Amino acid sequence: MQRVELTLAASGLVWLALATLWIGASSDSQRELSIAGGPACPAAPVRVLEPQYPIGSLVVFHGLGANRLVMLPLGRRFANAGFRVFLVDLPGHGRDSAPFSFAVSESCARGLLASLEHSGQISPIRTVLLGHSMGGALVVRLAGAFKSAGTISIATAPLVRPNHLPGNLLLVAPQLDMPPVLATEQKLAAEEGSERDSAEDFAQDRAFRLLRIAWQTHTSPIFSPAAAADMVHWALDSVRASETPGHSAPQQETTSRVGLLLPIQIWIESPLRIFHAALLGLAGILLMLPAALVLCLKIFRLHVLPDVSKGARPGIALLAWCAVGILSTLLLRFWMPMARLQLYGGDYLASFLLLSGLILAIGFGYASPVNRLPAGSEFSAVIAAALWAMGSVCAVALWMNWQLAELWPISARWTRLPILFVALFPAGVAEECAVGAAAPLGSSRGAARLLLCLGLRAILWGSMLFAFWCGASDALLPVIFLLPLAGLSLGQRLGADVLRLRTGSVLAAAVFDAILGAWFLAAAFPLA
């Protein structure tokens, strides 16, 4: 094992150990519940954050394609302010295996609130509802079924207007959000009229505010300290916390510390400290992956083999990807081969990649002959790639499942992973054939090759975006998941390049690429 891999692994292990110790020492009081929400969700997974001195309750609904752990950093801020926080997994999301639809999610939310109220765990007059995106639309529409003390809707998704809007409504509008979301918030604000936030307005359940957050994207307010502070104060005013004996609203923190100690003090006292520690641990795991690959290759006694594949001309590859991307979106209007996957949006993305991958793999596999390894070496390289990919997926998913996002698939999702792997494998082969032999990233060829690979993927994503914009597709999630898919693509590309550099195997690189893609689709897209 080279000194670089050992150094990275040692650094990653230290980071992971520090993150684990910090999270363990900072963990708040939490408990897991399974609450009946009616036929739509007979056992909804709920995580409860217990405050030291409870003054009210907050029920939180996540957005489309998210889960309750995504809302955990924001939930902790409310728990620190005295709210008992209920973080809910909606149907088809996270740990909930019930099939997803928008109607089912609303029915589940209604039933869950009724169950919590019936069991005495919440009281409407001391409860605030909070939702993000799809969850924001839900809490607005729940006004007729559950008269809460206040409602906070972040980046409200387009919705069918309820008969009446909720009282004490705070709309959080990120400036850089999607146009349909901004239009929905403007329409709701126009119906509410002028902003009202006096104590009398809260007492009469008529308070309203449109909180515009400058330079924020769709999900940014969940992690923004400034936005969270405004939301917490709105919730406290909604339950009229000043009337609760022994409780006073949180004041702005002051400190006498100056200089270099001030940022450290702010970070230690921040409710986001566990989130930051979790990110540190994730970075540590990623640093250990190169050493894990070296071990896999040594187990199978694989050595670096020359790769003389030339690949296609970049211009031809880009034109081919454009043509096949458009063709695939047209074919999907008549036939979706992966429809039986029952993944909301994921079946479309898997079908798109299967069709485009097959066409491109056949074309470029014939036009751009690739490196041929001895059968034994090829088989060993593929098995090593599969072990490294699955080990990487398991390590990252288990860690993220602790504090960041529920990406360790439940059984209903694991069963879809082999099918997704088969669907995504041709696209990986096509890409490897088109870009030719790998080169060190620090070289000009390596950098150009990486940019070409990312450009090819951007073309395919752009084809899906164009189909959605034209109304030829209703696959919203592949469009919303732009940033996660971009991060996944970069990770896939870097890992596949390292594999190909060390083995010379096109198939090994494609196997690694397909396993990571199959895991993300199986873990992140809602069950339908």
Side-chain angles (χ1 to χ4, degrees):
M1 189 177 296
Q2 296 181 2
R3 182 176 297 178
V4 174
E5 284 86 357
L6 285 174
T7 302
L8 290 175
S11 302
L13 187 60
V14 171
W15 289 13
L16 183 61
L18 288 174
T20 303
L21 291 173
W22 187 264
I23 293 173
S26 306
S27 291
D28 38 19
S29 177
Q30 301 182 15
R31 56 191 174 97
E32 294 286 336
L33 295 178
S34 182
I35 300 177
C41 52
V46 178
R47 179 171 294 192
V48 185
L49 309 184
E50 293 288 355
Q52 188 173 6
Y53 303 107
I55 55 104
S57 300
L58 180 82
V59 184
V60 181
F61 299 100
H62 58 74
L64 180 63
N67 53 70
R68 55 185 174 164
L69 289 191
V70 174
M71 307 299 291
L72 184 57
L74 183 58
R76 285 196 172 104
R77 289 189 172 272
F78 283 88
N80 289 348
F83 287 89
R84 178 177 288 113
V85 180
F86 296 83
L87 302 169
V88 180
D89 268 342
L90 290 169
H93 294 75
R95 313 300 297 175
D96 195 320
S97 58
F100 165 78
S101 73
F102 293 105
V104 165
S105 295
E106 182 173 341
S107 176
C108 176
R110 292 172 184 266
L112 188 140
L113 290 173
S115 294
L116 288 173
E117 182 182 4
H118 181 73
S119 62
Q121 298 186 68
I122 63 174
S123 170
I125 62 172
R126 310 295 297 178
T127 299
V128 175
L129 303 183
L130 182 147
H132 172 252
S133 191
M134 176 186 70
L138 280 180
V139 297
V140 171
R141 286 187 51 79
L142 289 171
F146 185 85
K147 186 173 175 54
S148 61
T151 300
I152 302 173
S153 180
I154 309 168
T156 312
L159 53 83
V160 178
R161 187 194 183 283
N163 292 330
H164 62 276
L165 296 177
N168 296 339
L169 173 62
L170 173 66
L171 297 177
V172 181
Q175 181 185 13
L176 304 180
D177 211 333
M178 296 173 284
V181 173
L182 294 174
T184 298
E185 291 159 342
Q186 290 292 343
K187 184 177 180 180
L188 291 173
E191 293 186 28
E192 284 282 3
S194 60
E195 295 188 355
R196 309 171 294 275
D197 56 4
S198 68
E200 182 180 356
D201 291 322
F202 279 102
Q204 297 186 14
D205 293 329
R206 66 185 186 191
F208 168 74
R209 183 184 177 191
L210 176 62
L211 177 62
R212 294 180 173 87
I213 310 295
W215 303 107
Q216 298 276 327
T217 60
H218 189 67
T219 57
S220 300
I222 299 174
F223 308 100
S224 167
D230 286 330
M231 288 185 269
V232 167
H233 279 284
W234 187 272
L236 290 170
D237 289 337
S238 295
V239 299
R240 295 179 284 282
S242 59
E243 300 175 4
T244 303
H247 181 273
S248 59
Q251 303 296 321
Q252 292 290 335
E253 296 177 358
T254 58
T255 179
S256 59
R257 298 177 186 264
V258 294
L260 294 176
L261 291 179
L262 182 56
I264 299 175
Q265 177 73 9
I266 293 173
W267 182 75
I268 290 175
E269 295 176 355
S270 168
L272 287 175
R273 63 190 182 279
I274 300 178
F275 175 73
H276 293 148
L279 292 179
L280 177 67
L282 177 61
I285 291 174
L286 296 178
L287 288 178
M288 291 188 282
L289 295 184
L293 172 61
V294 173
L295 287 176
C296 287
L297 297 179
K298 283 192 173 183
I299 291 173
F300 291 94
R301 300 179 180 178
L302 286 167
H303 305 285
V304 178
L305 298 174
D307 188 351
V308 295
S309 306
K310 294 183 178 179
R313 293 183 180 180
I316 293 176
L318 292 170
L319 287 174
W321 254 252
C322 287
V324 172
I326 295 172
L327 176 62
S328 297
T329 58
L330 294 175
L331 291 175
L332 288 175
R333 297 193 64 182
F334 306 99
W335 178 52
M336 190 181 298
M338 306 304 291
R340 291 190 178 183
L341 269 178
Q342 295 182 322
L343 284 174
Y344 183 85
D347 50 5
Y348 182 91
L349 179 56
S351 298
F352 176 81
L353 292 175
L354 174 61
L355 292 176
S356 58
L358 284 174
I359 298 171
L360 291 167
I362 293 172
F364 281 88
Y366 177 79
S368 306
V370 297
N371 210 40
R372 300 290 183 181
L373 302 182
S377 297
E378 189 78 77
F379 178 77
S380 296
V382 167
I383 297 300
L387 287 176
W388 187 48
M390 287 304 301
S392 302
V393 161
C394 290
V396 169
L398 282 171
W399 179 261
M400 294 192 71
N401 221 65
W402 188 16
Q403 298 290 336
L404 294 172
E406 290 176 320
L407 291 179
W408 180 265
I410 58 177
S411 58
R413 297 180 180 275
W414 278 117
T415 57
R416 290 164 165 82
L417 196 142
I419 303 172
L420 287 166
F421 169 80
V422 172
L424 271 55
F425 180 71
V429 172
E431 190 170 275
E432 294 298 328
C433 291
V435 298
L441 187 58
S443 66
S444 58
R445 166 162 169 73
R449 187 177 180 276
L450 176 63
L451 290 176
L452 174 60
C453 291
L454 296 179
L456 296 178
R457 297 191 177 207
I459 287 172
L460 294 183
W461 182 85
S463 300
M464 289 187 290
L465 174 62
F466 182 73
F468 180 77
W469 181 73
C470 292
S473 160
D474 60 354
L476 175 63
L477 270 182
V479 177
I480 292 179
F481 278 168
L482 169 60
L483 292 180
L485 287 173
L488 175 69
S489 293
L490 182 60
Q492 288 174 304
R493 193 63 261 153
L494 294 176
D497 284 353
V498 171
L499 268 169
R500 194 161 175 186
L501 273 172
R502 290 186 173 272
T503 66
S505 172
V506 169
L507 295 182
V511 163
F512 176 84
D513 186 280
I515 289 177
L516 262 63
W519 160 70
F520 181 79
L521 265 69
F525 284 76
L527 300 172

